Amino acid sequence: MTYEFEGKTEKEAIEMAANELGLERDQFDVEILETQKNSIFKKGYVKIRVHTLDDDKAGSFNESSSVENHSRIVADPLPQGEFEQKLIEFIQSIIEKMGYDVKVQVSYREEKKLGIKLESSHSSILIGRKGKNLDALQLLANIYAGRLGHEEVRVILDTENYRIRREESLVRLAYTTADKVRSSRNSILLEPMNPFERRLIHTTLNDIPDVETKSEGEGVYKQVRVIYKGIR
């Protein structure tokens, strides 16, 4: 969903959005629509548009943190029930029609979440640049799960532990970027990311007092801008 809020400052507008929607700051993206500075004749204000992360369902799928991933107990890799069997056959069929060999297995089961592991000699192609191919396959798997009557289940596809490695890389990127911003006093715009990846950047830098983040752009793959704000 998309909402618009207005406040005297960007911080006030964001706080209003969080309070009214009952969300934490890392559960929505902020787009600055309009800024009016204080003048003799007009009071200053900031107008924002808020995108809740449900809007970007295709890219997020609520993956858990790397700590949770490392602590998971490996599930029985064989499909349990008709739903898992059909889902695995669907994923394998798509990849084989793309021309690549693959072995598809269940990696973990959680409440309303199913992890699927892809084993292939073409893993790098299945992952794609910045994981976009893997995200696309994951989207198709979730659409198919919905058609099978399991809209509530989030299907998470992974291969070669890419999700964990990408997550750790993004955390390092967040801290490195924050250091650069503090040194230069300039903002830095990061590469386009899916909603889960953006939320990870926001969350990682949320407790650093002199740095703030906001998402910019349209569509699923937006960019995060890291901004120096000083200590107030």
Side-chain angles (χ1 to χ4, degrees), residues 2 29-33 49-51 55-56 189-193 198 202 214-225:
T2 301
D29 287 334
V30 175
E31 177 185 353
I32 307 300
L33 296 179
R49 179 178 291 148
V50 168
H51 302 267
D55 291 342
D56 300 324
L189 191 63
L190 300 179
E191 66 195 48
M193 301 178 189
R198 294 197 306 274
H202 291 311
K214 67 177 181 180
S215 292
E216 298 181 1
E218 300 293 337
V220 173
Y221 287 89
K222 299 175 187 175
Q223 294 175 274
V224 175
R225 184 177 294 278

Side-chain angles (χ1 to χ4, degrees), residues 179-210:
D179 287 340
K180 291 179 180 178
V181 165
R182 293 157 108 179
S183 298
S184 67
R185 301 296 195 265
N186 293 320
S187 68
I188 293 178
L189 191 63
L190 300 179
E191 66 195 48
M193 301 178 189
N194 68 36
F196 170 72
E197 293 173 336
R198 294 197 306 274
R199 186 164 68 247
L200 184 61
I201 298 292
H202 291 311
T203 303
T204 300
L205 300 183
N206 190 51
D207 294 330
I208 298 181
D210 56 349

